[in-house]
Amino acid sequence: MSLNKGLNPINVDLMVKVGGSLLNNIEYCRQLVEEFETLNEMKKMIIFPGGGEIDNYIEQYSTKQKLGKIVMHKSTMLALDQNALILSSYSKKVIPFTSVIECREILKEGKIPVFMPSQATFILDPFRYNSTVSSDSMALYFSKLFEVKELILLKSIDGILDKCSEVIKEISIELLQEIEQDCVDPLFPYLAAREQVPVMILNGRSPNVLNDYVIHGKFDLGTKIL
């Protein structure tokens, strides 16, 4: 007997995490979703949203009114859900989901699932309620659960920088744990060591950067975590 007779894999090629800073530009989001639609003809993917302005508002509000760790955690997780819904408004092919069953059905229909992670996060409760964990680490955690082959982090920066402010094109997980950087959160390097999901960081503001990397394997700027 093989595992396939008892387990039900999703078989997803990519998870693309869209940085919150990129979600503020409506025209950019339109172009990005069009790029998703093109890639979807060749690769199965899941979209993971960042927090963006909604998350920033909650954090600013908490400086004036103490929310408490649990309220803060739940509020910021729900911000990701809202951004997933907003991304789905750009195309009828982009469908929000909360469960693996929903995700699988969306993929079977040839559409693009965008994850609303709050429900799964509240049930599993895997993250500390502090700033050590950003949506980057959350995307990495769920990449492993969804068994995706690669996680792509779309950001508004070129990648991880060295001491001379030059982009590091490839970096080992071990070195990432040692250097000072502000590209990913403090948990990310250690979670990457555990999850062993290949990670690529790209500047989402660069035209066609996603297509160039996914289809042709090319990237002028970006960091691959090995």
Side-chain angles (χ1 to χ4, degrees), residues 125-155:
D125 198 28
F127 310 118
R128 297 282 188 183
Y129 308 160
N130 58 38
S131 59
T132 300
V133 186
S134 75
S135 52
D136 287 342
S137 280
M138 293 176 186
L140 177 58
Y141 176 85
F142 283 108
S143 290
K144 184 66 173 183
L145 286 186
F146 288 121
E147 299 180 330
V148 302
K149 298 174 183 175
E150 185 173 20
L151 170 64
I152 297 176
L153 301 179
L154 291 182
K155 292 180 166 285

Side-chain angles (χ1 to χ4, degrees), residues 200-216:
M200 184 69 208
I201 300 171
L202 296 171
N203 189 334
R205 298 186 190 278
S206 301
N208 301 313
V209 66
L210 195 56
N211 275 330
D212 286 345
Y213 175 69
V214 174
I215 298 174
H216 305 294

Side-chain angles (χ1 to χ4, degrees), residues 25-185:
N25 187 320
I26 292 176
E27 184 55 37
Y28 168 80
C29 288
R30 287 198 185 101
Q31 294 173 1
L32 180 63
V33 170
E34 289 176 2
E35 203 165 356
F36 288 157
E37 290 175 338
T38 300
L39 289 174
N40 190 51
E41 297 175 3
M42 293 163 277
K43 301 283 187 179
K44 287 185 178 182
M45 69 177 72
I46 295 172
I47 309 305
F48 193 102
E53 286 297 320
I54 301 173
D55 184 74
N56 292 340
Y57 170 78
I58 295 167
E59 291 179 357
Q60 291 171 7
Y61 190 93
S62 70
T63 64
K64 302 173 184 177
Q65 168 62 32
K66 187 172 176 61
L67 297 178
K69 287 184 178 181
I70 294 177
V71 171
M72 184 72 175
H73 176 64
K74 288 185 174 181
S75 298
T76 53
M77 287 307 307
L78 289 167
L80 304 187
D81 286 7
Q82 292 181 67
N83 281 327
L85 290 169
I86 290 170
L87 277 173
S88 73
S89 73
Y90 288 93
S91 172
K92 292 181 179 179
K93 294 182 179 179
V94 179
I95 311 296
F97 76 95
T98 60
S99 70
V100 175
I101 291 175
E102 290 176 319
C103 180
R104 189 177 284 111
E105 290 304 309
I106 294 166
L107 290 168
K108 283 181 180 178
E109 293 172 1
K111 296 182 179 180
I112 306 166
V114 56
F115 191 28
M116 298 172 61
S118 70
Q119 288 187 33
T121 301
F122 298 157
I123 291 169
L124 297 170
D125 198 28
F127 310 118
R128 297 282 188 183
Y129 308 160
N130 58 38
S131 59
T132 300
V133 186
S134 75
S135 52
D136 287 342
S137 280
M138 293 176 186
L140 177 58
Y141 176 85
F142 283 108
S143 290
K144 184 66 173 183
L145 286 186
F146 288 121
E147 299 180 330
V148 302
K149 298 174 183 175
E150 185 173 20
L151 170 64
I152 297 176
L153 301 179
L154 291 182
K155 292 180 166 285
S156 55
I157 57 176
D158 292 330
I160 297 170
L161 304 180
D162 61 19
K163 292 181 179 179
C164 299
S165 297
E166 297 291 330
V167 176
I168 303 172
K169 296 202 72 171
E170 293 185 348
I171 188 169
S172 68
I173 293 173
E174 293 76 16
L175 182 56
L176 183 60
Q177 291 174 348
E178 296 174 4
I179 66 170
E180 292 185 10
Q181 54 82 32
D182 58 3
C183 183
V184 293
D185 61 70

